[in-house]
Each structure stands twice: as C-alpha cells, then as structure tokens.
Amino acid sequence: MLNKTLTMAVAIGVSVGAGSSAWSSALDDVMKKRGLTQKDLLAAAKTYTPTGGRDEYLAFSSGGQSGQVIVYGVPSMRILKYIGVFTPEPWQGYGFDDESKAVLAQGNINGKEIKFGDTHHPAFSETNGEYNGKFLFINDKANPRIAVIDLHDFETKQIVVNPHFNNEHGGAFVTPNTDYILEAAQYPAPYENEFVPLEQFNDRYRGGVTYWSFDKEKGRIDPSQSFTVEMPPYSQDLSDAGKFVSDGWSFTNSFCSERYVGGIEKGRPPYEAGCSQKDTDFLHVVNWKKAAELFKAGKGKPVNGMDVLSMDTMVENKAMFLIPEPKSPHGIDVSPDGKYMIVSGKLDSHAYVYSFDKMMTAHDAEKYEAHDPYGIPIVSLKDALHKQVAVGLGPLHTQYDSKPCTVFTSIYVDSQVTKWNYCTGKVLDKLSIHYNIGHLVAMEGDSASPDGKYLISLNKLAIDRFNPVGPLHPQNHQLIDISGDKMELLYDMPLPLGEPHYVVAIKADKLKPAIRYKSGWNSRTDTRSKFKARAGREKTVRTCDGDNCTVEVFGTVIRSHITPETIEAEVGDKVIVHLTNLERAEDETHGFAINGTNVNLSIEPGKTASATFIADIEGVFPYYCTEFCSALHLEMEGYLLVKPKGYKDVEGKIVDGTTYSKTDYDKQVGTNHATQDVIDSVVKFITERNYTDFAPVKELVDDAVAQLGFASKWQKDSEASAKSGDYQNATLQAGQWWQYQVKAADIGLRAKTYLEEHGAVVVK
Ligand code: K7E
Ligand code: CUA
C-alpha cells in the first residue's frame, strides 16, 4: 500500500517535471506565469503561512444568518472552525446529540424550537478591559438571545432568551471585568407578551438595554441577577461599555428617535422616510453600576420573570441621560483609555468624538438643554462634543490602533476605510475596499490596549472579486496591513456562510484550548457524564414498562471498533445510545451515524455523547464511524436490528463467510512477528533519543504503549485458541493482534518523524 502510493507519487512527479507547464524554481518565472507584481509578492509574503505554521491572531466572526461563529487565523485568513451556536452544526454533532439539543432548547421561545439565529456581535470576556481568552459571547438579532461559548473547547454552553425584547441588535458588549453583558433592543415592542395596537406606540412600546450578569466562577449568565433598563421607543442600536475613567457607564445609540410608525399599505410614508427626518438621534448614557445597585436594592419591577428599572427610577437617580448624535447613528466605540466615545451617523459624513469628561461636567451640574418626551434629561451636543471630523459618506464603525489617537472608520457609501486622528481631528489616509464595508476589526481593536498590525474590512458586497458561484455571492473579508503610515491591502478572503457583521480578534497565545476531555465528559454541561462507559464494562439494557420498552446502550468507541457491534431492539422501542470515546490521543475523534434516524454524533477523545430515538420501523440499520480515524475506519461498523414485536430469534449461529486453517494462522503469526520487528526498530530509535523532552512525542508514545498492550492481550487469546486447535478463532484473534500492532506502528512512525523534524538528539 505504502509502496504503491510512493510509486504513484514518483510517477506524478516525473510527468509534471517533464511537462511544459512545470513551475520553474525561479521566482521571476513564477511571477511572470501568474502575472504577479512585486507588490503582490510582498503582500503574499506578509500573509503566506508555511505548512505547519501558526497564526499570530485568531479572529472570531459572527456567522450572520447561519447562526454560527466562524473562526479564522490572521494573517493567513485560513478558516479553522465553524462553531455551532444558535443552529445545529452536524460536524460537531451540535443539535444532534442529546447533550447539545438541551443547549439549543434553552433558546426555545414560547416553547417553540427556533431553527436559526442572526448573529451580529461577538465579544470576548475581559479583565480590566483586556481580552482574557476565556469566553466568547454573541447575540442573535432575530430572536433576542445571547450565547456563551467556552474557549476552552470552542463549544456553546448556554443560550439565554431576553424576556423583555422582541428583537435586538446591540449585543453582545461586555463591561471591562465581564460583570455584565449588554443587549440592547432594536425595534420597540411592548415588554408584556400581549397585543398592543401601533396607535399606542408612544405609550406602550419600549426599547431598553438588558444587563446580563455573568457568573465568572460558573462561566454562565445568571438571569436571576440580570435586569433591564427601560428606554423610550427609539430604535436602540449598538452599545459599548466605558472603561477606566468611564468605567461604570455604558453608551447606547439609537435611530428613529422620531418614533415614526410606517404603514405604506395605508398610504403612510415608509419607515425609511419617517425614521430619518430629524438631524439628530440620541445617545443613551447609562450609569450601569448605579443601575445594578438600584436593582439589588429592589427598585426594579418584575416583568416576565426579570426585573425592569423604569425610566423614572433611572432619571430620579441621575443614572441615565441623553446626548444628541448625528443622524441615524450606527457604531459607538469607546477609546482604549475610556476618555472618548466615537459615534458615526450613517447619513452624515462626520464622525463625532464625545468627551466623557465634558458630558460628565454637564451632567453633574445638571446643565441640560431639554428633556425628551419621557422626562430624560438631554445634555447638549455642544457640551459633550470634543471633535467633529469629516471622514467620508456613510461612516459606520471605528476601531482603535496601537498608535495614540489613531483610528480606522468604515465608510459604507464611499467603500473606504478612513484612518484619522481623533485628538487633532486630522484625516491621515484613505483606502478603497471592495465593496461597501460594514464593520472592521483591528487586532484587539476594542480592548484597552489595541495591537494595531492588521485590519480586516468586513465587506457587505463582493460583486466581482471572486469566481462567480451564482446569484448569491460570498462575503469578502479584506486583510489590510496597518503597520505603516499608509494602509495596504493584502488579501481577499471569501466567507461563504451567512453575512458576518462584527469580528473580534485575539492574540492566539491567550487561548489555551483543550486537546482532550477528562474521560467520560459531557462537554455541553462540563460535568462528568452519568453515561460514561469504561473499556470492558460496556452493556446494553432493555427494560419495559408495560408495552413501552427502552433499549439503553452504554458503549465505547476506540480505533477501530464500536462496542457494542450489534444493538437489538423491537419495533417501537425507544433506543438511547451513550458512547464514550476511550482515546487519549490527539485528534482521534470518532463519529456515529445510523441510517434514517438523524443519529449523528461527534465524539472527541474523552467525550461521552448520547442519541435518543424511536426505532419506529423494523429492519436492519447499519451504523458506522463517520470520522476517518484509522486504516480500518471503514470496519468501524455494526448493526441496529429492529425486530418485529415478539420476534423469536432463529436457531443456529452466525456462519463465517471464510474459514481458516493452521496454515492461515501460521501465516498471520509470521506477519505479526515481522511487524513486531519494525515496531522494535522504531521503539529503539525513539528511546535512544531525548523524546521525553517533546510533549507531543510523549503523548504519542503513551498511546502506542496502550495499543501494544491491547495487541498482547489478543496475542495471548490467539495463542490459547491455537493451543486448543481452534484455528478459526486463533487466526481471527491473531488478526486483531496485528490490527493493534499496525496502530502502534503508525503512531510510532509519527513520533519518529516528529523527532527527526525537531532535532532530537541521541542520549544513549
Ligand atoms: Cu453594523 Cu449588526 Cu454591527 Cu451589520 S451591524 S454592519
Ligand atoms: Cu472511528 Cu472511523
């Protein structure tokens, strides 16, 4: 097999070498053939990551309508993972195993299963305003929900449904020590789950911001400690939390403060017109620390099981005020030192820089220009503004550079990124992008200490940038070098999974993801699974309560078999399969799928996963491992037998398709001894060297030793069978002995290669 592959590779090599289209080893020649310029080569050199190389940053992108999160590396722009969040994701068994179905069910609304999410804004957990690499939060705009993803294993652990809002956009934004996760409503609606006519919009419809309390010990949102701050029926948009000087405050902008209600079908001008008449909308400034105190002092009123702090309570306690902001604002981004807030208006060509110091001076002195119709005081724009800068048409979002006062703002209408200085108000550079940029992300660009280096432009339209794939185009994420004075476009990456909005990027070395789970682990709850099975203790139990019978399997998977290899049930039985992956080896995931049942598990090393289904039709259902885990992966199989009710098993036993003699046995044993010689030589190579200095090799060696242990068990069985003259079983058992040897050899060779490539030295 190996020889065959080698011969093939050599043959291909020869034919390529001889053909006229061969690449030359000269760079010039390759450039000419591909039509590349020096500038292209330089850009390529800045992003190209050689085989085995790692990225400096990991970017977590919202997956838009896919309801997922997309993880990719920067600067290589290689996609590493899709994390199932609000939507089933078959590869990870997310939404298929019982454990993750329970997570998705937390997101049911009024008892109804919600099959998609519209993710917009991911946010990392923070310590003192710095990303700490522990958790990622993301919102669902369509169904107001927030999800918690644990970055220990990149799995979704929790979904909470907002009890007050019927829509939201301004989530998820965290406070500097992850005390709260902010979620702002978008389209106003009544808090109570009842019908209220649009005629009562001003009185009964409401916006607001929910402050979800995060239990850092448990790594979960605690709804019992969370509350909503009631706001007028303006369409609240994005938020950001203050930090350092502005810590304790949060900022939420809004559009449609006209409170316009459309109704084009009744002859009313559309929302579009009515929501953009005024020159300004409102920035909501909230003292969330004060609000949290008010909540704890019992000043909230429960609505749908969670407290609401009314506008009156907030105003009485001087905990909320408004500031006018440019027409139809969109993004709000607090500076790394917490002193400034940058807001851009989609229908204005300016970015507005607010000074926290100034707005507080006015607020403290109660110097208000007016009150809004709900009695909320308004600090004048003049009293809060630091600078107003013309940045381009349709500015949306802003990211901070590592250089002082330097920011990058996305300019939607002009399809540009504008680099400017918010201290002086000077525009420094403009770069065209392709096309219609939405958000943008600089490395750790919304933390307390942005890294600069790279900027990614998250474009709404790709149009002509890629090979056409039909009317629905991929999104285009463009990588930009921002290390110098001038921005330089490096690379286009198509993203074909929903419309991402925001992305956050973290230094890769802040993440410490696990390689394996503790054995028998329910990864969705992060507790030991009750259904964990150990090797040799697998069992299948059938119990009946009257006519209702349940077949429950406590099984295991390991290269290359599923235990049990047969599951027997009667038609109508409920079948529950729990499988524990016994592997400790890195990347040895096994899958489990059964025809016609939607059973599809991904069982990573250590994990226990379960599937429950009704065996509702009789028949024979093969099941198998869906991950190509080993040379005998295809043999990782079994049968679910669903028998008619009351079926009597047939007499007799299984007749082997092939029979074996002493000759076959001797031949197999000969092979095994030859294989053992190869293993011994590999073992010698490894143990002569300082292999214990290499952690991955030590793990491989542990795995190989385990495989050899299994081999010797089967060797003993096979020798015992041969001794009793049962050459049929002796041959098959010798075959199993050899299977384990092959696995050990495979692992040993991987270890040997690693040592060769990493300069191990002979020590004895
Ligand atoms: Cu600008 Cu949802 Cu943040 Cu889209 S949002 S771009
Ligand atoms: Cu396990 Cu394939």
XYZ file of all heavy atoms in Angstrom, residues 16-95:
598
model
N 4.935 15.635 -14.191
C 4.875 17.096 -14.037
C 6.209 17.706 -14.460
O 6.257 18.650 -15.230
C 4.522 17.488 -12.572
C 4.755 18.978 -12.348
C 3.066 17.150 -12.279
N 7.263 17.081 -13.984
C 8.599 17.587 -14.299
C 8.855 17.650 -15.795
O 9.485 18.584 -16.285
N 8.293 16.684 -16.501
C 8.582 16.622 -17.927
C 7.671 17.528 -18.735
O 7.982 17.905 -19.849
C 8.430 15.177 -18.410
N 6.505 17.913 -18.181
C 5.541 18.704 -18.935
C 5.997 20.136 -19.141
O 6.858 20.639 -18.423
N 5.368 20.798 -20.141
C 5.802 22.156 -20.463
C 5.254 23.162 -19.460
O 5.727 24.283 -19.381
C 5.319 22.520 -21.866
O 3.909 22.400 -21.901
N 4.181 22.762 -18.678
C 3.585 23.723 -17.752
C 4.270 23.714 -16.391
O 3.754 24.278 -15.444
C 2.101 23.416 -17.578
O 1.973 22.137 -16.976
N 5.387 23.076 -16.283
C 6.044 22.961 -14.973
C 6.408 24.339 -14.431
O 6.767 25.238 -15.178
C 7.294 22.120 -15.106
N 6.302 24.480 -13.110
C 6.782 25.694 -12.484
C 8.296 25.676 -12.515
O 8.910 24.651 -12.286
C 6.337 25.765 -11.033
C 4.860 25.866 -10.868
C 4.044 24.915 -10.350
C 4.028 26.957 -11.221
N 2.750 25.350 -10.345
C 2.705 26.614 -10.878
C 4.260 28.217 -11.805
C 1.626 27.451 -11.089
C 3.183 29.061 -12.001
C 1.886 28.673 -11.649
N 8.860 26.784 -12.740
C 10.302 26.884 -12.640
C 10.616 27.205 -11.188
O 9.773 27.705 -10.456
C 10.790 28.009 -13.548
O 11.939 28.585 -12.996
N 11.818 26.892 -10.778
C 12.175 27.226 -9.403
C 12.552 28.706 -9.289
O 12.766 29.224 -8.214
C 13.305 26.331 -8.913
O 14.389 26.478 -9.796
N 12.609 29.373 -10.445
C 12.949 30.802 -10.395
C 11.705 31.628 -10.097
O 10.672 31.485 -10.740
C 13.553 31.245 -11.724
N 11.778 32.484 -9.085
C 10.657 33.305 -8.658
C 10.139 34.172 -9.817
O 8.941 34.293 -10.036
C 11.128 34.177 -7.487
C 10.069 34.865 -6.662
C 9.020 33.878 -6.162
C 10.714 35.575 -5.484
N 11.073 34.750 -10.549
C 10.703 35.620 -11.678
C 9.765 34.917 -12.642
O 8.796 35.487 -13.131
C 11.965 36.011 -12.478
C 12.755 37.038 -11.714
O 12.276 37.443 -10.621
O 13.842 37.421 -12.187
N 10.117 33.649 -12.884
C 9.361 32.873 -13.845
C 7.931 32.636 -13.344
O 6.966 32.775 -14.092
C 10.101 31.547 -14.049
C 9.711 30.923 -15.356
O 9.607 31.678 -16.345
O 9.481 29.697 -15.368
N 7.823 32.296 -12.074
C 6.502 32.064 -11.485
C 5.694 33.359 -11.535
O 4.509 33.361 -11.898
C 6.641 31.563 -10.024
C 5.265 31.451 -9.387
C 7.359 30.231 -9.980
N 6.325 34.456 -11.207
C 5.638 35.753 -11.250
C 5.086 36.026 -12.634
O 3.953 36.460 -12.802
C 6.610 36.881 -10.895
C 6.837 37.048 -9.411
S 8.139 38.250 -9.116
C 7.372 39.776 -9.634
N 5.943 35.773 -13.623
C 5.533 36.060 -14.996
C 4.346 35.190 -15.381
O 3.346 35.671 -15.901
C 6.713 35.816 -15.946
C 6.601 36.673 -17.212
C 7.707 36.385 -18.222
C 9.077 36.883 -17.767
N 10.170 36.127 -18.450
N 4.466 33.878 -15.071
C 3.391 32.950 -15.442
C 2.062 33.327 -14.785
O 1.008 33.184 -15.390
C 3.769 31.531 -15.007
C 4.657 30.816 -16.006
C 4.311 29.328 -16.039
C 4.951 28.644 -17.218
N 6.315 28.193 -16.933
N 2.101 33.777 -13.539
C 0.843 34.094 -12.840
C 0.481 35.576 -12.938
O -0.524 36.007 -12.372
C 0.944 33.681 -11.371
C 1.014 32.179 -11.180
C 0.532 31.782 -9.801
N -0.883 32.059 -9.595
C -1.433 32.323 -8.413
N -0.685 32.354 -7.333
N -2.714 32.558 -8.309
N 1.298 36.343 -13.605
C 1.001 37.765 -13.769
C 1.053 38.538 -12.456
O 0.218 39.408 -12.210
N 1.997 38.203 -11.614
C 2.089 38.867 -10.308
C 3.124 39.992 -10.327
O 4.134 39.902 -11.019
C 2.495 37.851 -9.225
C 1.557 36.663 -9.014
C 2.158 35.696 -8.016
C 0.183 37.132 -8.559
N 2.840 41.033 -9.543
C 3.779 42.149 -9.427
C 4.633 41.986 -8.165
O 4.323 41.154 -7.310
C 3.011 43.477 -9.305
O 2.254 43.424 -8.082
C 2.068 43.694 -10.477
N 5.624 42.824 -8.031
C 6.448 42.840 -6.808
C 5.574 43.103 -5.583
O 5.747 42.508 -4.535
C 7.508 43.954 -6.897
C 8.690 43.621 -7.784
C 9.604 42.566 -7.155
O 9.498 42.268 -5.977
N 10.491 42.002 -7.965
N 4.592 44.005 -5.764
C 3.700 44.364 -4.667
C 2.878 43.142 -4.223
O 2.663 42.919 -3.030
C 2.767 45.492 -5.144
C 2.235 46.315 -4.016
C 1.554 47.580 -4.543
C 0.593 48.071 -3.488
N -0.800 48.156 -3.916
N 2.438 42.366 -5.226
C 1.689 41.139 -4.904
C 2.552 40.193 -4.077
O 2.094 39.593 -3.112
C 1.258 40.405 -6.183
C 0.266 41.198 -6.998
O -0.468 42.012 -6.419
O 0.230 41.006 -8.236
N 3.789 40.058 -4.504
C 4.693 39.128 -3.808
C 4.905 39.570 -2.367
O 4.935 38.752 -1.451
C 6.044 39.062 -4.501
C 6.141 38.216 -5.759
C 7.586 37.811 -5.987
C 5.269 36.989 -5.687
N 5.029 40.859 -2.183
C 5.230 41.387 -0.840
C 3.994 41.107 0.023
O 4.101 40.655 1.172
C 5.481 42.897 -0.940
C 6.166 43.533 0.252
C 7.518 42.870 0.507
C 6.347 45.036 0.004
N 2.819 41.334 -0.576
C 1.566 41.058 0.146
C 1.493 39.574 0.483
O 1.147 39.194 1.602
C 0.365 41.486 -0.696
N 1.853 38.730 -0.500
C 1.803 37.280 -0.274
C 2.734 36.898 0.869
O 2.371 36.105 1.743
C 2.179 36.539 -1.552
N 3.914 37.482 0.872
C 4.893 37.134 1.909
C 4.391 37.542 3.299
O 4.751 36.933 4.296
C 6.230 37.802 1.612
N 3.525 38.571 3.347
C 3.001 39.005 4.646
C 1.875 38.112 5.159
O 1.549 38.149 6.339
C 2.490 40.452 4.545
C 3.599 41.482 4.469
C 3.020 42.873 4.340
C 4.112 43.904 4.105
N 3.532 45.244 3.866
N 1.245 37.366 4.256
C 0.123 36.522 4.705
C 0.441 35.040 4.627
O -0.127 34.250 5.370
C -1.144 36.758 3.850
O -0.884 36.296 2.530
C -1.519 38.203 3.810
N 1.316 34.677 3.703
C 1.569 33.255 3.482
C 2.093 32.599 4.757
O 2.989 33.110 5.422
C 2.589 33.048 2.354
C 2.947 31.591 2.191
C 2.015 30.699 1.648
C 4.173 31.089 2.605
C 2.309 29.349 1.523
C 4.477 29.740 2.485
C 3.543 28.879 1.944
O 3.835 27.550 1.836
N 1.489 31.462 5.081
C 1.887 30.732 6.275
C 2.309 29.334 5.845
O 1.489 28.576 5.337
C 0.708 30.681 7.262
O 0.301 32.035 7.510
C 1.100 30.033 8.574
N 3.602 29.019 5.990
C 4.081 27.720 5.504
C 3.399 26.558 6.224
O 2.841 26.739 7.311
C 5.574 27.745 5.842
C 5.890 29.124 6.260
C 4.626 29.790 6.654
N 3.468 25.394 5.633
C 2.818 24.221 6.212
C 3.252 24.030 7.671
O 4.427 24.172 8.003
C 3.108 22.960 5.371
O 2.555 21.835 6.053
C 4.591 22.717 5.166
N 2.291 23.782 8.506
C 2.580 23.600 9.929
C 2.697 24.904 10.699
O 2.804 24.895 11.922
N 2.667 26.031 9.980
C 2.819 27.332 10.641
C 1.547 27.738 11.375
O 0.476 27.210 11.130
N 1.710 28.662 12.293
C 0.577 29.116 13.087
C 0.332 30.598 12.839
O 1.238 31.326 12.459
C 0.874 28.918 14.581
C 1.123 27.492 14.998
C -0.148 26.662 14.902
N 0.119 25.275 15.247
C 0.011 24.785 16.482
N -0.323 25.579 17.475
N 0.245 23.511 16.722
N -0.874 31.015 13.120
C -1.226 32.425 13.010
C -0.993 33.145 14.325
O -1.087 32.559 15.399
C -2.698 32.558 12.610
C -2.889 32.371 11.123
O -2.304 33.166 10.364
O -3.604 31.434 10.719
N -0.727 34.439 14.194
C -0.478 35.239 15.394
C -1.785 35.613 16.111
O -1.814 35.766 17.321
C 0.265 36.516 14.971
C 0.798 37.323 16.131
C 1.534 38.586 15.675
O 1.721 38.775 14.446
O 1.915 39.370 16.560
N -2.866 35.746 15.334
C -4.163 36.119 15.912
C -5.235 35.141 15.464
O -5.135 34.553 14.394
C -4.576 37.530 15.457
C -3.675 38.589 16.030
C -2.546 39.010 15.341
C -3.929 39.135 17.284
C -1.684 39.950 15.887
C -3.077 40.082 17.837
C -1.955 40.482 17.130
O -1.110 41.405 17.683
N -6.242 34.987 16.299
C -7.430 34.255 15.878
C -8.593 35.234 15.850
O -8.801 35.999 16.806
C -7.756 33.097 16.816
C -6.877 31.849 16.741
C -7.562 30.688 17.436
C -6.540 31.465 15.312
N -9.317 35.196 14.730
C -10.471 36.075 14.569
C -11.741 35.256 14.752
O -11.837 34.134 14.261
C -10.447 36.706 13.180
N -12.697 35.812 15.492
C -13.990 35.163 15.719
C -15.036 36.035 15.049
O -15.302 37.149 15.491
C -14.270 35.019 17.215
C -13.363 34.023 17.885
C -12.032 34.331 18.130
C -13.829 32.770 18.251
C -11.180 33.403 18.735
C -12.994 31.838 18.855
C -11.670 32.156 19.092
N -15.586 35.494 13.979
C -16.520 36.266 13.175
C -17.943 35.811 13.450
O -18.200 34.612 13.586
C -16.189 36.036 11.694
O -17.169 36.613 10.878
N -18.853 36.746 13.492
C -20.247 36.343 13.557
C -20.560 35.631 12.249
O -19.953 35.921 11.218
C -21.154 37.557 13.741
O -21.313 38.261 12.525
N -21.471 34.709 12.296
C -21.813 33.946 11.087
C -23.110 34.422 10.465
O -23.678 33.740 9.637
N -23.590 35.618 10.886
C -24.813 36.161 10.295
C -25.966 35.172 10.387
O -26.172 34.541 11.422
N -26.677 34.998 9.265
C -27.880 34.176 9.262
C -27.596 32.695 9.476
O -28.527 31.911 9.650
C -28.632 34.347 7.925
C -28.954 35.772 7.536
C -27.828 36.397 6.713
O -26.661 36.080 6.878
N -28.193 37.314 5.833
N -26.348 32.295 9.435
C -26.048 30.886 9.714
C -26.216 30.604 11.205
O -26.261 29.444 11.616
C -24.626 30.543 9.278
O -23.696 31.134 10.168
N -26.280 31.658 12.023
C -26.450 31.461 13.465
C -25.220 30.890 14.124
O -25.284 30.361 15.231
N -24.075 30.970 13.444
C -22.861 30.354 13.980
C -21.760 31.384 14.154
O -21.944 32.568 13.895
C -22.393 29.251 13.016
C -23.448 28.174 12.864
C -23.091 27.133 11.849
O -22.048 27.190 11.230
N -23.958 26.171 11.680
N -20.594 30.894 14.599
C -19.411 31.727 14.706
C -18.338 31.092 13.831
O -18.192 29.871 13.808
C -18.938 31.827 16.172
C -17.512 32.344 16.260
C -19.873 32.733 16.971
N -17.615 31.912 13.089
C -16.567 31.422 12.197
C -15.223 31.831 12.787
O -15.033 32.991 13.143
C -16.720 32.038 10.784
C -18.139 31.806 10.253
C -15.664 31.480 9.828
C -18.516 32.726 9.103
N -14.316 30.879 12.902
C -13.001 31.171 13.474
C -11.958 31.079 12.365
O -11.912 30.075 11.657
C -12.643 30.154 14.582
C -11.337 30.549 15.265
C -13.766 30.034 15.603
N -11.165 32.138 12.208
C -10.077 32.036 11.238
C -8.808 32.684 11.766
O -8.836 33.459 12.719
C -10.473 32.563 9.861
C -10.933 34.004 9.753
C -10.012 35.048 9.674
C -12.280 34.316 9.660
C -10.432 36.363 9.522
C -12.715 35.634 9.515
C -11.778 36.655 9.449
O -12.185 37.947 9.291
N -7.689 32.322 11.132
C -6.388 32.809 11.570
C -6.007 34.087 10.835
O -6.386 34.301 9.694
N -5.258 34.940 11.505
C -4.745 36.181 10.907
C -3.235 36.195 11.142
O -2.807 35.959 12.279
C -5.393 37.417 11.579
C -4.856 38.719 10.970
C -6.916 37.347 11.457
N -2.411 36.389 10.108
C -2.742 36.923 8.793
C -3.026 35.888 7.701
O -3.256 36.278 6.565
C -1.459 37.679 8.428
C -0.359 36.861 9.033
C -0.938 36.350 10.328
N -3.053 34.601 8.000
C -3.205 33.649 6.885
C -4.610 33.650 6.302
O -4.808 33.265 5.164
C -2.854 32.236 7.338
O -3.914 31.686 8.095
N -5.613 34.075 7.097
C -7.020 34.066 6.682
C -7.496 32.639 6.359
O -8.334 32.425 5.484
C -7.262 35.003 5.482
C -6.762 36.416 5.689
S -7.493 37.256 7.109
C -8.949 37.988 6.377
N -6.941 31.686 7.095
C -7.380 30.299 6.920
C -8.500 30.021 7.927
O -8.343 30.281 9.120
C -6.225 29.336 7.165
C -5.106 29.496 6.139
C -3.948 28.584 6.439
N -3.383 28.835 7.765
C -2.353 28.180 8.266
N -1.773 27.213 7.565
N -1.887 28.456 9.459
N -9.598 29.457 7.424
C -10.728 29.156 8.320
C -10.383 27.912 9.134
O -9.939 26.904 8.594
C -12.019 28.936 7.516
C -12.408 30.255 6.833
C -13.154 28.460 8.422
C -13.587 30.140 5.919
N -10.588 28.015 10.446
C -10.223 26.914 11.340
C -11.439 26.190 11.907
O -11.378 25.000 12.174
C -9.378 27.452 12.500
C -8.086 28.153 12.073
C -7.426 28.813 13.268
C -7.134 27.161 11.425
N -12.520 26.901 12.094
C -13.678 26.239 12.695
C -14.948 27.053 12.491
O -14.905 28.276 12.451
C -13.452 26.058 14.199
C -14.345 25.020 14.853
C -13.873 24.670 16.248
C -13.966 23.172 16.472
N -13.421 22.751 17.749
N -16.050 26.328 12.346
C -17.366 26.935 12.485
C -17.897 26.444 13.822
O -17.929 25.234 14.053
C -18.321 26.484 11.379
C -17.891 26.866 9.981
C -17.720 25.919 8.987
C -17.654 28.198 9.654
C -17.331 26.270 7.702
C -17.264 28.564 8.375
C -17.105 27.596 7.401
O -16.723 27.956 6.143
N -18.281 27.338 14.694
C -18.829 26.917 15.982
C -20.352 26.981 15.901
O -20.916 28.048 15.635
C -18.348 27.843 17.128
C -16.819 27.914 17.164
C -18.899 27.364 18.473
C -16.277 28.933 18.175
N -21.003 25.842 16.113
C -22.464 25.825 16.155
C -22.932 26.595 17.375
O -22.463 26.328 18.481
N -23.826 27.568 17.182
C -24.279 28.376 18.316
C -25.807 28.326 18.436
O -26.339 27.684 19.338
C -23.793 29.835 18.202
C -24.195 30.627 19.449
C -22.279 29.897 18.010
N -26.477 28.988 17.510
C -27.941 29.015 17.576
C -28.560 28.007 16.603
O -29.772 27.905 16.505
C -28.456 30.421 17.246
C -28.040 31.468 18.251
C -27.084 32.423 17.935
C -28.596 31.476 19.527
C -26.703 33.384 18.863
C -28.219 32.429 20.456
C -27.267 33.385 20.130
N -27.715 27.332 15.846
C -28.168 26.463 14.764
C -27.460 25.125 14.870
O -26.279 25.092 15.212
C -27.752 27.089 13.406
O -27.842 28.494 13.498
C -28.601 26.605 12.281
N -28.115 24.025 14.556
C -27.405 22.742 14.540
C -26.202 22.783 13.588
O -26.239 23.475 12.564
C -28.459 21.761 14.012
C -29.767 22.392 14.342
C -29.529 23.878 14.229
N -25.146 22.097 13.985
C -23.938 22.038 13.140
C -23.492 20.576 13.143
O -22.903 20.110 14.113
C -22.868 22.979 13.733
C -21.822 23.408 12.724
C -21.023 22.239 12.192
O -20.362 21.563 12.984
O -21.079 21.983 10.964
N -23.809 19.853 12.060
C -23.638 18.399 12.067
C -22.215 17.917 12.348
O -22.037 16.918 13.035
C -24.074 17.980 10.658
C -24.877 19.107 10.139
C -24.395 20.346 10.810
N -21.219 18.606 11.823
C -19.845 18.130 12.016
C -19.529 17.953 13.504
O -18.908 16.975 13.923
C -18.856 19.125 11.373
C -17.424 18.895 11.717
C -16.739 17.707 11.678
C -16.476 19.882 12.137
N -15.438 17.901 12.052
C -15.253 19.230 12.338
C -16.558 21.260 12.367
C -14.110 19.909 12.757
C -15.420 21.923 12.769
C -14.224 21.254 12.959
N -19.963 18.919 14.303
C -19.690 18.839 15.734
C -20.770 18.071 16.489
O -20.767 18.040 17.718
C -19.591 20.262 16.310
C -18.423 21.034 15.745
C -18.648 22.536 15.726
O -18.815 23.167 16.758
N -18.677 23.114 14.539
N -21.727 17.483 15.756
C -22.827 16.778 16.414
C -23.713 17.740 17.186
O -24.566 17.331 17.964
N -23.526 19.050 16.933
C -24.236 20.079 17.705
C -25.686 20.163 17.217
O -25.937 20.453 16.042
C -23.523 21.424 17.544
C -24.106 22.532 18.389
C -23.918 22.551 19.759
C -24.862 23.540 17.805
C -24.464 23.571 20.541
C -25.399 24.562 18.568
C -25.195 24.570 19.937
O -25.725 25.582 20.699
N -26.597 19.886 18.156
C -28.004 19.826 17.763
C -28.406 18.423 17.361
O -29.536 18.198 16.913
